[in-house]
Amino acid sequence: MKKSLNDILIQLALIIIGVLSALGVDNYRESIQEHRTEKEYLVSLRNAVQADTVVLKNEIQRIYNKINATAELIDLARSGSVIDADRFENIITDVIMLVRPRFITAVYEELKFTGNFKLIRNKELKSLIISYYSDNQTIQEQNDHQLVAYPQLFMDHLSFDEMEGRTPFDQKRIFKVLETDNGVLIELTRSQKAAGTVRSGMIYTSLPRSIALLEMLQAEINK
């Protein structure tokens, strides 16, 4: 009877060891899979932030062109100097361009709504990712409200055919508007100042933050 009981205990111990071993293997496999999934998300985030960085650099240059074009248009109106039609068209195009950078958020949104954010183990990196996308959302919302681009009063004096490129912009008529309508002139200078503010924010805040996150993501991927 005693021997039988010992056999039962040994068999029970073997069963428990087998179950625990199986659970350990499953947990190990799950850990490996989670690590692979984390890497995939990190690579996707890196690619998204790389694209955002390119967008920011392009927008910084476009805004710079807008600011300079506005200044040039005002100077031309004051001097009354008629210039080459193609060059003038480029100036007008830059003056009325829309400043609205669009960031890639699909990977971040997937991480949030699937609950997979927990897969990112580096807490400092996770905090930087959240801060980065939260700030970008604020930037987009502010730009959507401000619409730093369309000087509506000025555009009201441009014909549809001019806007569509079917006929050249009438430089003398446009200069006359800027000379006689102080409201249009004020609108243009405000648009110029607003664009300058947005550009400064991109240069000194958005772009450095994007580059910092990109470097941290790459460092984590390389581990």
Side-chain angles (χ1 to χ4, degrees):
M1 181 70 179
K2 185 176 181 181
K3 183 178 180 180
S4 177
L5 181 60
N6 286 337
D7 289 342
I8 291 172
L9 291 175
I10 291 171
Q11 289 176 1
L12 182 60
L14 290 173
I15 292 172
I16 292 173
I17 292 171
V19 171
L20 291 176
S21 296
L23 288 174
V25 170
D26 286 343
N27 288 338
Y28 176 73
R29 287 175 178 171
E30 183 178 351
S31 176
I32 293 296
Q33 182 56 48
E34 286 183 349
H35 185 63
R36 288 175 180 170
T37 304
E38 179 195 20
K39 286 279 188 179
E40 291 172 359
Y41 274 120
L42 291 176
V43 170
S44 296
L45 280 170
R46 180 202 61 192
N47 294 341
V49 177
Q50 279 181 334
D52 289 346
T53 304
V54 172
V55 167
L56 283 168
K57 289 179 178 179
N58 288 339
E59 286 299 298
I60 288 170
Q61 182 59 51
R62 291 177 70 244
I63 297 172
Y64 180 75
N65 294 340
K66 177 183 177 67
I67 293 170
N68 288 342
T70 302
E72 188 171 3
L73 177 62
I74 292 172
D75 287 343
L76 287 171
R78 287 170 177 165
S79 66
S81 303
V82 176
I83 62 174
D84 176 77
D86 289 339
R87 181 186 164 201
F88 190 75
E89 180 180 351
N90 290 335
I91 291 173
I92 298 297
T93 300
D94 286 341
V95 166
I96 65 177
M97 78 166 64
L98 178 64
V99 177
R100 186 185 285 177
R102 289 301 177 193
F103 304 107
I104 299 174
T105 62
V107 181
Y108 176 68
E109 296 297 331
E110 181 179 333
L111 280 169
K112 284 198 307 181
F113 291 112
T114 60
N116 285 334
F117 225 129
K118 65 180 183 292
L119 297 176
I120 299 178
R121 294 166 295 175
N122 186 322
K123 293 182 179 180
E124 183 182 357
L125 175 59
K126 186 184 294 186
S127 177
L128 188 58
I129 291 170
I130 294 172
S131 174
Y132 172 79
Y133 282 99
S134 176
D135 288 346
N136 281 356
Q137 182 179 359
T138 300
I139 290 171
Q140 288 190 332
E141 289 174 352
Q142 289 176 343
N143 284 344
D144 287 344
H145 287 306
Q146 295 175 359
L147 284 178
V148 182
Y150 290 152
Q152 293 292 342
L153 293 177
F154 175 69
M155 289 175 64
D156 286 344
H157 293 281
L158 306 178
S159 72
F160 181 75
D161 286 340
E162 287 175 330
M163 296 284 293
E164 289 293 300
R166 296 172 184 168
T167 60
F169 288 99
D170 189 331
Q171 297 185 43
K172 291 185 177 181
R173 190 192 77 247
I174 292 172
F175 292 161
K176 185 69 174 178
V177 168
L178 293 177
E179 182 183 353
T180 59
D181 193 330
N182 194 51
V184 172
L185 187 60
I186 290 173
E187 180 188 57
L188 285 177
T189 55
R190 283 178 177 172
S191 175
Q192 185 184 41
K193 291 175 183 177
T197 300
V198 171
R199 183 171 181 268
S200 295
M202 288 182 178
I203 291 174
Y204 299 111
T205 303
S206 301
L207 189 58
R209 188 180 61 241
S210 175
I211 293 172
L213 177 56
L214 193 58
E215 291 175 350
M216 186 173 286
L217 283 166
Q218 189 60 60
E220 193 69 19
I221 292 169
N222 291 340
K223 286 183 179 179

